[in-house]
Amino acid sequence: MSGIATMRIKREAALLANEPSLGVTAWPTDDSLFTFAAEIEGPDASPYEHGIFRLSAQLSDRYPFEPPKVIFTTRIHHPNIDSSGRICSDVLKMPPKGCWSPKMNLNTVFAAIRLLMAEPNPDDPLENEIADEFKNNRAVYFQKAQSMTKQYAVKSNISAAPTKDEGKPLAVSMQPINSTVDRLHVTAPAAESSSSALPDATSSMTETGPLTTLDRTQVAGNEEVASEVVMNNVKASAPEPLKLGGGGAKKRIGLSLSSKSKKGK
């Protein structure tokens, strides 16, 4: 399955480079492509506004059939994010506890996390005390979250450059290798290179039916066919709208942020 995962992740690296979600910057930290670093801008009108929050995403060799493991590496005061950076969100869990699907991607995940920052779900928290603040004393919650944002997430208080492990964003280009499959090649950019523009790697992506038409038995038995389907199934457009639950009236948005179970967080 690692071959399928690698080809899929290369496509997603190109999508993140060329068409990232609003307020999100993300890149693979090295040539292995299985670890990504991300920076999320605090949403407007939230206590996280003006902050830059760093995250780490780890992908397994079964991706996209398993969700990525994402944590905050910047401290944040939030009912659905604990002191270790763990995040309680449906998009990071497999069904039936969550809603992860192979049709989702890293762009989807980071956008969902940013929306969760703007709209916490205090009814299913990781931090009960913060959830109680959010429900019963919103001013205290806002003040504490804003204070922690200023302390840990504003640019003047965080390191200007990524750490060695975070690396630099990798340049992503596409080179055809045969008549039916295009493979992405990801290379580290040369220092002070003037050719920083990235090609539109999503232009060769074609729409196919839902990836879920391939079950795991089919994937394991026909890796070549599954590879092509997985590669072609990454789309630049947002996923189909899902219902958002928790905290108030349901809304129609492109992502599901509600977290359904406290177990296994």
Side-chain angles (χ1 to χ4, degrees), residues 201-219:
T202 60
S203 61
S204 64
M205 299 179 191
T206 58
E207 290 197 19
T208 65
L211 187 62
T212 50
T213 56
L214 286 176
D215 62 25
R216 294 191 178 189
T217 302
Q218 290 174 301
V219 169

Side-chain angles (χ1 to χ4, degrees), residues 2-257:
S2 60
I4 295 176
T6 299
M7 289 185 284
R8 166 70 177 252
I9 295 167
K10 285 179 178 179
R11 293 272 182 173
E12 293 197 23
L15 182 61
L16 286 165
N18 293 312
E19 299 184 39
S21 297
L22 178 66
V24 174
T25 304
W27 62 92
T29 60
D30 54 42
D31 289 338
S32 75
L33 299 178
F34 283 87
T35 302
F36 279 69
E39 292 183 345
I40 293 181
E41 298 175 10
D44 294 343
S46 77
Y48 316 108
E49 187 175 9
H50 306 306
I52 303 295
F53 296 82
R54 291 180 176 172
L55 299 88
S56 174
Q58 184 69 44
L59 285 65
S60 76
D61 60 2
R62 290 196 57 79
Y63 185 82
F65 300 103
E66 290 181 357
K69 295 180 180 180
V70 184
I71 63 170
F72 273 78
T73 58
T74 299
R75 292 190 61 183
I76 183 171
H77 189 80
H78 191 288
N80 305 113
I81 304 165
D82 69 13
S83 58
S84 299
R86 295 180 303 165
I87 305 164
C88 186
S89 172
D90 277 353
V91 299
L92 298 175
K93 303 175 192 174
M94 293 286 290
K97 293 182 178 181
C99 67
W100 172 259
S101 163
K103 293 188 289 185
M104 296 181 177
N105 55 49
L106 287 172
N107 232 351
T108 303
V109 168
F110 293 132
I113 292 171
R114 189 168 188 261
L115 284 174
L116 183 65
M117 292 170 67
E119 300 182 13
N121 177 15
D123 295 322
D124 190 14
L126 282 177
E127 295 285 352
N128 291 318
E129 184 177 340
I130 300 175
D132 185 66
E133 290 173 359
F134 186 86
K135 285 182 174 181
N136 303 313
N137 199 336
R138 190 69 61 88
V140 170
Y141 156 77
F142 200 97
Q143 186 275 327
K144 289 183 178 180
Q146 193 173 57
S147 176
M148 189 171 286
T149 297
K150 291 178 180 178
Q151 183 176 357
Y152 296 104
V154 297
K155 290 184 178 180
S156 60
N157 293 333
I158 61 177
S159 58
T163 65
K164 180 179 179 181
D165 290 338
E166 286 176 318
K168 296 180 179 180
L170 301 178
V172 183
S173 62
M174 178 166 285
Q175 300 175 1
I177 60 173
N178 58 43
S179 59
T180 58
V181 179
D182 285 339
R183 188 187 299 272
L184 283 172
H185 294 270
V186 181
T187 56
E192 299 183 1
S193 171
S194 60
S195 57
S196 58
L198 297 174
D200 182 6
T202 60
S203 61
S204 64
M205 299 179 191
T206 58
E207 290 197 19
T208 65
L211 187 62
T212 50
T213 56
L214 286 176
D215 62 25
R216 294 191 178 189
T217 302
Q218 290 174 301
V219 169
N222 195 339
E223 185 166 313
E224 180 180 353
V225 173
S227 299
E228 189 169 346
V229 173
V230 171
M231 290 169 63
N232 289 333
N233 201 61
V234 181
K235 303 173 185 173
S237 59
E240 296 178 359
L242 300 174
K243 290 184 179 180
L244 171 65
K250 293 184 178 179
K251 302 177 182 179
R252 297 286 294 180
I253 64 171
L255 304 162
S256 174
L257 304 181

